[in-house]
Amino acid sequence: MTPPPISRVRWTSALLLAVLAAGTVRAGRRLRAIPVLPVTPPAAADVPRPAGWRLLTARGVEPDAATFLAACAHAEAEGLRVLDLLPADLPAERALGLLRLVDPARYRWDRLGEGRGAGFAVLVAEEVLARAEVDPVGPRPDPAELLALTRRLKEYAADATGLAIAPGLSCGGPAEPGGPARVAELRAQGLPPGALAAAQLGGLALLAGAALRQGRWGAAAAGLYWLQPYLVLGGPGSPLRPAGLARATAARPLRSLGAALRTAAAAGRGGAGEDRAPDTARAAAYQAELASGTARFLEPRRPDCPWCGSGRLAVRVRVPDLLQGKPGLFTLEQCGECGHVFQNPRLTLEGLEFYYRDFYDGRGGEGAGAVFGRLGAAYRGRAEMLLPHADPGSWLDVGTGHGHFCNAARAVWPRTRFDGLDMGDGVRGAERRGWVETGYQGQFPEFASKLAGQYEVVSMYHYLEHTRDPLAELDAAAAVLAPGGFLTIELPDPESRMARLLGPVWLPWFQPQHQHLMPAANLREALADRGFTVLAEEHGPAHQGNDFFGAVALAATGLAPDPDRPWGPPATAGGRARAHAVRLAALPAFAGAAVLDALRTAAAHRTDGGNAYRMLARKDVS
């Protein structure tokens, strides 16, 4: 066997060394950016407890009064409503994991950032607990439950959540790394334990290979990984003092290997469906509903284009439900005259309810919320599109979902009143969290007369493509806007090159939810017909970098749907094993897809072309 070229070997080891060095420096900087609570004198324990605060602690953690008082004082001084407290003896790997997830300098101000913490103690304002409907009087949670609660509470204190190190707080004893407890904690944070364990095992194998085969560069990379806990946490200025840091550092490779193996085994026992236990009542309801088939979910096929009336139609794509794996086959046809793409035959109202159910709310609500929470850059770009044209006092976001855009847009427009409208229950949750001032639940055209002339801005971001009659939605927007108001829209672009390249696994087809996909020229014409003047149009900046990643995800779901989906056949051990194997085998494809998407996004911005477009129009003053 021919050995690899020396230059390639050195570059591989040098790259590993550079990545580890950068991670070590970043972890050290982040650690020192976390504020440290003062050690309050013992006399402070006699001071009455500040009103309006609750300290929630995991089982085995016993905070003293001085720590509570110091935490309250820090939170009030910084304007925080949720404060996660890091024990001074936080285990080394747990501390490094938290520092990988959280940038303390950005954490508070990242309105969409997920709530993160150590899982031992959280100080929360009582009004936040009330809005989140959390009862602070009950059994003390375990660390996984407290991590999940911290993640939830961040949503109710979007820009008022922080971290602090509490020198007087202790973890309450060491915990075994890896295994079922670690799996529960990762899942509580919305992280995939199986994939992370596989990645950790792959990284350890790569480091071992570098150390054995790539000389001093490989040994240096492996050595840096070995010493990383002490380098980050063991310096004289470190605010954390993990118990047994020297032993943990010396045994790190073996401990990491054992933890990854235990986590992988525990995740595997949990099945491909992660921690979702089969919902027998929901499954029985779905099976009863599907007993008569799915034909009633589709209307008769129409012979003409709903946009221009032409009868020149051709099938663009035919695809099953790759999003949830619900039964049915769906067809998108394209008009040969105007290029409009539409679902034909179209879903009935009953079909819409069936295929939307458990996607944005219910069973799939948490996953959908997590995806929307990672679109901060897109939300900011949408909000900033209005900067040269308006200073709005009122804004209605139609199709707001869980309210993520409104929450993020407050960073751009802090004095604007944001209201939201959506069919799903998520808009009510957005109102409780304070992400929207008022949430309207229902169909937009139904509110047109009630809200006539009340808003300076109406936004429809990835909404029109979901509607049964997009022209009626534009009529409603024209009615709701005040004269001179602004309508801003973002849509998938059916003329995207990626739609032709990826075919049925192009994510923006999004069947069966997307009913209409219209070329930009069609939308411009429809807006002009309704008395709007288009002020700006963006293609590259609206691109969503998920073409290849989405294609891999849809293909993997098509090969191995969630075995515990309540609308599918009863789950079997073989089905779970197959789904788990497909997801593990797809990890390299996901990694490659992420690289391709990054390259595609850069190209889309340079060429002003991508998979979506935005349009900003002003309602003419008559």
Side-chain angles (χ1 to χ4, degrees), residues 283 285-298 319-331 343 347 350-352 354-357 511-513 557 561-562 565-569:
Y286 268 110
Q287 297 308 317
E289 191 172 12
L290 288 169
S292 56
T294 60
R296 68 189 186 282
F297 295 150
L298 293 172
V319 63
D321 178 6
L322 297 176
L323 303 172
Q324 292 181 286
K326 289 183 176 179
L329 186 66
F330 310 95
T331 302
Q343 190 182 74
L347 288 176
E350 187 179 5
L352 282 170
F354 177 81
Y355 287 104
Y356 271 76
R357 191 190 313 157
Q511 288 303 291
Q513 295 188 24
T557 303
D562 178 3
R565 64 196 189 281
W567 46 85

Side-chain angles (χ1 to χ4, degrees), residues 284-524:
Y286 268 110
Q287 297 308 317
E289 191 172 12
L290 288 169
S292 56
T294 60
R296 68 189 186 282
F297 295 150
L298 293 172
E299 297 177 347
R301 179 185 176 275
R302 66 177 297 159
D304 57 352
C305 172
W307 198 269
C308 72
S310 170
R312 292 181 52 206
L313 304 179
V315 173
R316 181 70 187 268
V317 68
R318 187 173 282 117
V319 63
D321 178 6
L322 297 176
L323 303 172
Q324 292 181 286
K326 289 183 176 179
L329 186 66
F330 310 95
T331 302
L332 290 172
E333 297 193 16
Q334 184 165 20
C335 175
E337 291 290 336
C338 70
H340 185 72
V341 178
F342 65 104
Q343 190 182 74
N344 196 21
R346 182 176 68 169
L347 288 176
T348 62
L349 291 176
E350 187 179 5
L352 282 170
E353 192 281 329
F354 177 81
Y355 287 104
Y356 271 76
R357 191 190 313 157
D358 287 316
F359 190 87
Y360 298 102
D361 298 298
R363 188 174 188 267
E366 183 178 352
V371 170
F372 295 144
R374 297 186 178 108
L375 300 177
Y379 298 144
R380 189 173 187 90
R382 295 168 187 173
E384 290 177 344
M385 192 178 187
L386 272 84
L387 285 173
H389 307 282
D391 185 9
S394 58
W395 188 315
L396 176 65
D397 185 42
V398 181
T400 197
H402 295 75
H404 288 86
F405 166 74
C406 297
N407 181 35
R410 292 180 188 277
V412 180
W413 302 102
R415 293 184 296 276
T416 300
R417 174 191 173 94
F418 285 93
D419 295 336
L421 184 148
D422 201 272
M423 287 182 58
D425 295 335
V427 70
R428 298 301 183 194
E431 191 176 45
R432 288 193 300 270
R433 289 190 297 270
W435 290 5
V436 301
E437 297 292 333
T438 301
Y440 302 102
Q441 188 172 5
Q443 300 276 1
F444 186 32
E446 297 172 357
F447 286 89
S449 58
K450 176 183 177 181
L451 303 178
Q454 293 189 21
Y455 287 94
E456 297 173 48
V457 178
V458 169
S459 56
M460 297 175 168
Y461 299 124
H462 290 273
Y463 166 77
L464 274 182
E465 64 268 33
H466 290 264
T467 63
R468 292 170 61 80
D469 186 353
L471 295 176
E473 303 289 335
L474 295 178
D475 291 336
V480 167
L481 280 169
F486 297 86
L487 175 61
T488 174
I489 297 172
E490 184 172 300
L491 290 165
D493 187 354
E495 299 179 314
S496 168
R497 291 191 297 270
M498 299 307 297
R500 295 189 294 273
L501 175 65
L502 296 174
V505 291
W506 187 54
L507 184 60
W509 293 136
F510 220 69
Q511 288 303 291
Q513 295 188 24
H514 284 181
Q515 310 282 291
H516 298 273
L517 292 93
M518 57 224 68
N522 290 10
L523 182 58
R524 285 195 298 270

Side-chain angles (χ1 to χ4, degrees), residues 5-6 9 98 122 124 203 206-207 220 241 283 323 429 434 445 454 485 495 534 558 567:
I6 295 299
V9 168
L98 181 61
V122 185
V124 191
L206 185 62
L207 280 170
R241 295 293 179 186
L323 303 172
Q454 293 189 21
E495 299 179 314
V534 175
W567 46 85

Side-chain angles (χ1 to χ4, degrees), residues 124-136 153 156 432:
V124 191
E126 290 180 345
E127 61 87 13
V128 173
L129 290 171
R131 284 192 290 115
E133 299 178 344
V134 174
D135 182 6
L153 292 173
Y156 290 83
R432 288 193 300 270

Side-chain angles (χ1 to χ4, degrees), residues 187 267-284 286-287 324-325 358 363 560-573 575-577 579-580 583:
R187 288 174 178 165
R269 287 193 298 272
E274 297 296 333
D275 58 349
R276 287 178 176 168
D279 187 334
T280 54
R282 183 173 294 177
Y286 268 110
Q287 297 308 317
Q324 292 181 286
D358 287 316
R363 188 174 188 267
D562 178 3
D564 290 312
R565 64 196 189 281
W567 46 85
T572 63
R576 288 197 177 96
H580 193 60
R583 293 178 186 182

